[in-house]
Amino acid sequence: MYVAVKGGERAIDNAHALLAEKRRGDTAIAELSIAQIREQLSLAVNRVMAEGSLYDPDLAALAIKQAQGDLIEAIFLIRAYRTTLPRFGASEPMDTGKMACTRRVSATFKDAPGGQVLGPTFDYTHRLLDFKLMAEGDVAEAETGTPRREPTPHITEFLNAEGLIQQEAPSDETPGDLTREPLELPAARPLRLQSLTRGDEGFILGMAYSTQRGYARNHAFVGELRIGSVPVEMDIPELGFSIEIGEIEVSECETVNQFKGSKSEPPQFTRGYGLIFGQSERKAISMALVDRALRWKELGEDDMGAPAQDEEFVLYHADNIQATGFLEHIKLPHYVDFQAELELVRKMRAEAQTGLQEAAE
Amino acid sequence: MASEALTGGFANAPHAAAIAFRGAMRAMAMPGVIEHIEGAAGPAPLSPAASALLLTLCDPETPIYLAGIHDTAAVRDWITFHTGAPLTDRARAMFALGTWDALAPHDAYAIGTSEYPDRAATLIVEMPALTAEGARLTGPGIEKEAALNLPDIPFCQANAALYPLGVDLFLTHGNAVAALPRSTKVR
Amino acid sequence: MNSYNFAYLDEQTKRMIRRAILKGLAVPGYQVPFASREMPMPYGWGTGGVQVSAAIMTPADRFKVIDQGSDDTTNAVSIRRFFERTAGVEVTETTTEATVIQTRHRIPEMPLTSGQILVYQVPIPEPLRFLEPSEVETRKMHSLEEYGLMHVKLYEDISQHGAIATAYAYPVKVEGRYVMDPSPIPKFDNPKLESPAIQLFGAGREQRIYALPPHTRVVSLDFEDFPFEANKADAACELCAADTSYLDEVIMDDAGHRMFVCSDTDFCASRRAAGHAGIQEAAI
Ligand SMILES: [Zn+2]
């Protein structure tokens, strides 16, 4: 006896209750606080802020807690929250030359004004599990100097002074906003950069890696990677001048790319650019490589047919919230489509069968 | 800014705009059908229907052109205060507002591009009357035939001939609104 | 922070969507780009339909949501609840009582009437997408009315399989101009696309809205020697005996016995309430 299924509402309620229980885990174990996540899982918090496109460490930590550590789910929570926020205005362009650098390295010059600053990096850690962390243990205070407060010049500017690196034309044009206007192709570089900075870290990394392995190789060196805090200023029309509304931590990467020259450009170095909320250097470097690969047209290079050169391919597939939603939607019911295909396959088989029989007779 | 600019908005904007939009959408979906939309009252000579359309559809992202007697300080202030829409010329306007004659030359508005026919202006035409008689309309949204007192039959025919390009019209009088999208054939 | 606007979306977002809907109605079948917002449900789960519904909903509406023809599938329940909570509108499962119906993959069996609005959730709005992956190219093809590729594909189907191998999301031509994806409805539903209701299509992830005003001419693509056929399972509903409704096939036991029931649950229930009984009901 078949009865049409009812009970969707109750099933959803029960699923939510189970999810909440699972999130909390064993109640004999102390609950994580938002502050603990913010302070001790800061790189996860950074990723959620970067791909969620919202600089708010506390909300990112909350999202991570609510999402049980599923970072894409946490990014989704932040995005859905962000889109409901009213917009009061836009900040002035940020000057990363004013950054108080906690880390700054260059692969192209041994030293430069401002110096190389290793900062808090995994780079030279030996990747050995530190079993001491299994017990709660205090950490000895690290020796620190005072961060440099005077502006630290960008290393690529030294090449620029010699005319050895391609000039970036300054523009006062208001860049487009992916979150307010539908993407239109071909996309200007500001839109491409916007898409890359909020794109999925794994996707951007994979694309960048593919350029290194020869799919539109662009011979990149890290001209400079810097991480630190930068003031954000906003023009207040009522006051008639800009005021500092806060500071954010960002990672910035400029690559210096070998360039033989093209029909339109002389031999010189070219650049790729990456800028990400928080400390997120893998993403910043990846972004710079993919940015450079996408610039083939404006630099007069050849289309190698590489995935990383295809702006439509990169921009339409970089967003993990779009990707995960569409990917996971195939678990929703598709009875109707499937039924339609079932009927079609049966019909075509029956016709093929008749055809075979007729041929045999 | 005169205090007139501050009044005449929707009392409960989310509800009122939703109800007004339903009327505007039905008008655009069913050319010739006359809907009544309420709740907004801009300064004269703005009709209540045109006022409601502006509040429902316009904001800082939609440049507006004001034609003739509708281009007054009071109307400009009202639009700025309630919608934040920038005022512009015919060619750049997403919305244009005025009487039919004042809106001339009617071929000065954006008609969209072949790849983006949606980038065409919407003209809000203030009419001396709005009745279901006059020009014969056929096309999408019309089961057999509809009738409407259009301001300018030759223009509407020429506009339809541009399809899928062309401008779209809202016709307003008092609380009444009708529409003539470019898809409608006119006799 | 806890209170959201009527129907969730902020007014500026609604205006942007409303403008896109009007342009969609003015150029039936043309996909209007719109700045789709992140919704509190995943892309691919109806965010386009939800944004369209949110932009057109009025407090006086009665809202119905179906997924696969059913009001009780989990995603339909979830979307219906979302609007109950954020717009406070009345909801219904009865097609004839609904003023706005949001649907995924079906058009109700009960003919819709003038004044009703049907909102479709659309996953891939571009009918040419699986023939040409590039958006730049497909946009050009629509602008030049260059639909040869689609006819070639359909014709290849016929020469290879003896039939057009598209069973759902079957492409249509709108008012003799734009080729349009009717969303993944079974092609059985295609003839219902010519309707007195206003039909709106929302694709959130792909950022497109398109529309069919009432009575718009909608023709399923076909060939003179291979005319379009709106087929369904050759059976009657075993609950209500309907033999003209689209049927779901349900597997009954481990031996693979199956039965057919209406996909449109409201249609089936109202027929049974009116005394119709299929072979299962009659056997009791
Ligand atoms: Zn039935």
PDB file of all heavy atoms in Angstrom, chain C residues 237-242 245 247 261-262 264 267-269 271-272, ligand 1:
ATOM      1  N   CYS C 237      -2.720   7.154 -12.948  1.00  0.00           N
ATOM      2  CA  CYS C 237      -2.356   7.255 -11.536  1.00  0.00           C
ATOM      3  C   CYS C 237      -3.080   6.163 -10.760  1.00  0.00           C
ATOM      4  O   CYS C 237      -4.291   5.987 -10.897  1.00  0.00           O
ATOM      5  CB  CYS C 237      -2.743   8.628 -11.011  1.00  0.00           C
ATOM      6  SG  CYS C 237      -2.552   8.789  -9.226  1.00  0.00           S
ATOM      7  N   GLU C 238      -2.362   5.429  -9.935  1.00  0.00           N
ATOM      8  CA  GLU C 238      -2.989   4.329  -9.211  1.00  0.00           C
ATOM      9  C   GLU C 238      -3.729   4.809  -7.969  1.00  0.00           C
ATOM     10  O   GLU C 238      -4.385   4.037  -7.293  1.00  0.00           O
ATOM     11  CB  GLU C 238      -1.939   3.265  -8.865  1.00  0.00           C
ATOM     12  CG  GLU C 238      -1.437   2.605 -10.145  1.00  0.00           C
ATOM     13  CD  GLU C 238      -0.478   1.441  -9.916  1.00  0.00           C
ATOM     14  OE1 GLU C 238      -0.549   0.810  -8.841  1.00  0.00           O
ATOM     15  OE2 GLU C 238       0.324   1.183 -10.832  1.00  0.00           O
ATOM     16  N   LEU C 239      -3.607   6.093  -7.661  1.00  0.00           N
ATOM     17  CA  LEU C 239      -4.359   6.638  -6.530  1.00  0.00           C
ATOM     18  C   LEU C 239      -5.637   7.324  -6.981  1.00  0.00           C
ATOM     19  O   LEU C 239      -6.679   7.192  -6.346  1.00  0.00           O
ATOM     20  CB  LEU C 239      -3.496   7.633  -5.743  1.00  0.00           C
ATOM     21  CG  LEU C 239      -2.229   7.064  -5.096  1.00  0.00           C
ATOM     22  CD1 LEU C 239      -1.474   8.182  -4.359  1.00  0.00           C
ATOM     23  CD2 LEU C 239      -2.551   5.927  -4.139  1.00  0.00           C
ATOM     24  N   CYS C 240      -5.553   8.081  -8.106  1.00  0.00           N
ATOM     25  CA  CYS C 240      -6.719   8.883  -8.485  1.00  0.00           C
ATOM     26  C   CYS C 240      -7.207   8.580  -9.905  1.00  0.00           C
ATOM     27  O   CYS C 240      -8.133   9.221 -10.388  1.00  0.00           O
ATOM     28  CB  CYS C 240      -6.406  10.372  -8.346  1.00  0.00           C
ATOM     29  SG  CYS C 240      -5.455  11.030  -9.721  1.00  0.00           S
ATOM     30  N   ALA C 241      -6.558   7.629 -10.582  1.00  0.00           N
ATOM     31  CA  ALA C 241      -6.990   7.182 -11.908  1.00  0.00           C
ATOM     32  C   ALA C 241      -6.787   8.207 -13.022  1.00  0.00           C
ATOM     33  O   ALA C 241      -7.203   7.970 -14.149  1.00  0.00           O
ATOM     34  CB  ALA C 241      -8.447   6.704 -11.891  1.00  0.00           C
ATOM     35  N   ALA C 242      -6.148   9.355 -12.719  1.00  0.00           N
ATOM     36  CA  ALA C 242      -5.921  10.339 -13.776  1.00  0.00           C
ATOM     37  C   ALA C 242      -5.027   9.729 -14.848  1.00  0.00           C
ATOM     38  O   ALA C 242      -4.022   9.100 -14.536  1.00  0.00           O
ATOM     39  CB  ALA C 242      -5.267  11.585 -13.188  1.00  0.00           C
ATOM     40  N   SER C 245      -2.280  13.169 -16.343  1.00  0.00           N
ATOM     41  CA  SER C 245      -1.329  13.920 -15.525  1.00  0.00           C
ATOM     42  C   SER C 245       0.047  13.278 -15.610  1.00  0.00           C
ATOM     43  O   SER C 245       0.182  12.099 -15.951  1.00  0.00           O
ATOM     44  CB  SER C 245      -1.794  13.941 -14.066  1.00  0.00           C
ATOM     45  OG  SER C 245      -1.699  12.646 -13.518  1.00  0.00           O
ATOM     46  N   LEU C 247       3.272  11.492 -14.352  1.00  0.00           N
ATOM     47  CA  LEU C 247       3.336  10.468 -13.307  1.00  0.00           C
ATOM     48  C   LEU C 247       4.750  10.262 -12.785  1.00  0.00           C
ATOM     49  O   LEU C 247       5.720  10.303 -13.532  1.00  0.00           O
ATOM     50  CB  LEU C 247       2.807   9.138 -13.860  1.00  0.00           C
ATOM     51  CG  LEU C 247       1.358   9.171 -14.356  1.00  0.00           C
ATOM     52  CD1 LEU C 247       0.992   7.851 -15.022  1.00  0.00           C
ATOM     53  CD2 LEU C 247       0.395   9.483 -13.209  1.00  0.00           C
ATOM     54  N   VAL C 261       2.103   7.206  -9.762  1.00  0.00           N
ATOM     55  CA  VAL C 261       1.224   8.150  -9.063  1.00  0.00           C
ATOM     56  C   VAL C 261       1.468   9.543  -9.632  1.00  0.00           C
ATOM     57  O   VAL C 261       2.534   9.818 -10.170  1.00  0.00           O
ATOM     58  CB  VAL C 261       1.493   8.184  -7.541  1.00  0.00           C
ATOM     59  CG1 VAL C 261       1.093   6.874  -6.888  1.00  0.00           C
ATOM     60  CG2 VAL C 261       2.948   8.505  -7.251  1.00  0.00           C
ATOM     61  N   CYS C 262       0.459  10.402  -9.467  1.00  0.00           N
ATOM     62  CA  CYS C 262       0.599  11.772  -9.965  1.00  0.00           C
ATOM     63  C   CYS C 262       1.821  12.434  -9.336  1.00  0.00           C
ATOM     64  O   CYS C 262       2.043  12.329  -8.129  1.00  0.00           O
ATOM     65  CB  CYS C 262      -0.611  12.622  -9.578  1.00  0.00           C
ATOM     66  SG  CYS C 262      -2.131  12.148 -10.395  1.00  0.00           S
ATOM     67  N   ASP C 264       1.995  15.718  -9.372  1.00  0.00           N
ATOM     68  CA  ASP C 264       1.356  16.898  -8.771  1.00  0.00           C
ATOM     69  C   ASP C 264       0.473  16.431  -7.610  1.00  0.00           C
ATOM     70  O   ASP C 264      -0.640  15.936  -7.800  1.00  0.00           O
ATOM     71  CB  ASP C 264       0.525  17.620  -9.840  1.00  0.00           C
ATOM     72  CG  ASP C 264      -0.111  18.902  -9.327  1.00  0.00           C
ATOM     73  OD1 ASP C 264      -0.354  19.014  -8.106  1.00  0.00           O
ATOM     74  OD2 ASP C 264      -0.380  19.792 -10.152  1.00  0.00           O
ATOM     75  N   PHE C 267      -3.033  18.083  -7.183  1.00  0.00           N
ATOM     76  CA  PHE C 267      -3.964  17.623  -8.223  1.00  0.00           C
ATOM     77  C   PHE C 267      -4.523  16.256  -7.847  1.00  0.00           C
ATOM     78  O   PHE C 267      -5.740  16.012  -7.896  1.00  0.00           O
ATOM     79  CB  PHE C 267      -3.202  17.542  -9.552  1.00  0.00           C
ATOM     80  CG  PHE C 267      -4.006  17.039 -10.711  1.00  0.00           C
ATOM     81  CD1 PHE C 267      -4.948  17.842 -11.335  1.00  0.00           C
ATOM     82  CD2 PHE C 267      -3.807  15.746 -11.192  1.00  0.00           C
ATOM     83  CE1 PHE C 267      -5.677  17.373 -12.421  1.00  0.00           C
ATOM     84  CE2 PHE C 267      -4.532  15.265 -12.269  1.00  0.00           C
ATOM     85  CZ  PHE C 267      -5.479  16.083 -12.886  1.00  0.00           C
ATOM     86  N   CYS C 268      -3.641  15.361  -7.429  1.00  0.00           N
ATOM     87  CA  CYS C 268      -4.041  13.994  -7.083  1.00  0.00           C
ATOM     88  C   CYS C 268      -4.989  14.008  -5.878  1.00  0.00           C
ATOM     89  O   CYS C 268      -6.038  13.371  -5.895  1.00  0.00           O
ATOM     90  CB  CYS C 268      -2.796  13.168  -6.770  1.00  0.00           C
ATOM     91  SG  CYS C 268      -3.076  11.392  -6.765  1.00  0.00           S
ATOM     92  N   ALA C 269      -4.601  14.779  -4.864  1.00  0.00           N
ATOM     93  CA  ALA C 269      -5.426  14.820  -3.650  1.00  0.00           C
ATOM     94  C   ALA C 269      -6.805  15.383  -3.947  1.00  0.00           C
ATOM     95  O   ALA C 269      -7.813  14.876  -3.438  1.00  0.00           O
ATOM     96  CB  ALA C 269      -4.718  15.649  -2.579  1.00  0.00           C
ATOM     97  N   ARG C 271      -8.422  15.292  -6.738  1.00  0.00           N
ATOM     98  CA  ARG C 271      -9.208  14.308  -7.485  1.00  0.00           C
ATOM     99  C   ARG C 271      -9.751  13.226  -6.564  1.00  0.00           C
ATOM    100  O   ARG C 271     -10.908  12.807  -6.662  1.00  0.00           O
ATOM    101  CB  ARG C 271      -8.347  13.662  -8.580  1.00  0.00           C
ATOM    102  CG  ARG C 271      -8.295  14.489  -9.874  1.00  0.00           C
ATOM    103  CD  ARG C 271      -7.431  13.813 -10.905  1.00  0.00           C
ATOM    104  NE  ARG C 271      -7.885  12.462 -11.233  1.00  0.00           N
ATOM    105  CZ  ARG C 271      -8.830  12.188 -12.138  1.00  0.00           C
ATOM    106  NH1 ARG C 271      -9.426  13.158 -12.795  1.00  0.00           N
ATOM    107  NH2 ARG C 271      -9.179  10.935 -12.370  1.00  0.00           N
ATOM    108  N   ARG C 272      -8.900  12.788  -5.641  1.00  0.00           N
ATOM    109  CA  ARG C 272      -9.377  11.751  -4.717  1.00  0.00           C
ATOM    110  C   ARG C 272     -10.486  12.295  -3.828  1.00  0.00           C
ATOM    111  O   ARG C 272     -11.468  11.626  -3.552  1.00  0.00           O
ATOM    112  CB  ARG C 272      -8.218  11.211  -3.877  1.00  0.00           C
ATOM    113  CG  ARG C 272      -7.434  10.141  -4.640  1.00  0.00           C
ATOM    114  CD  ARG C 272      -6.260   9.645  -3.843  1.00  0.00           C
ATOM    115  NE  ARG C 272      -5.194  10.631  -3.834  1.00  0.00           N
ATOM    116  CZ  ARG C 272      -4.307  10.782  -2.868  1.00  0.00           C
ATOM    117  NH1 ARG C 272      -4.374  10.001  -1.800  1.00  0.00           N
ATOM    118  NH2 ARG C 272      -3.365  11.688  -2.947  1.00  0.00           N
TER     119      ARG C 272
HETATM  120 ZN    ZN D   1      -3.264  10.944  -9.001  1.00  0.00          ZN
END
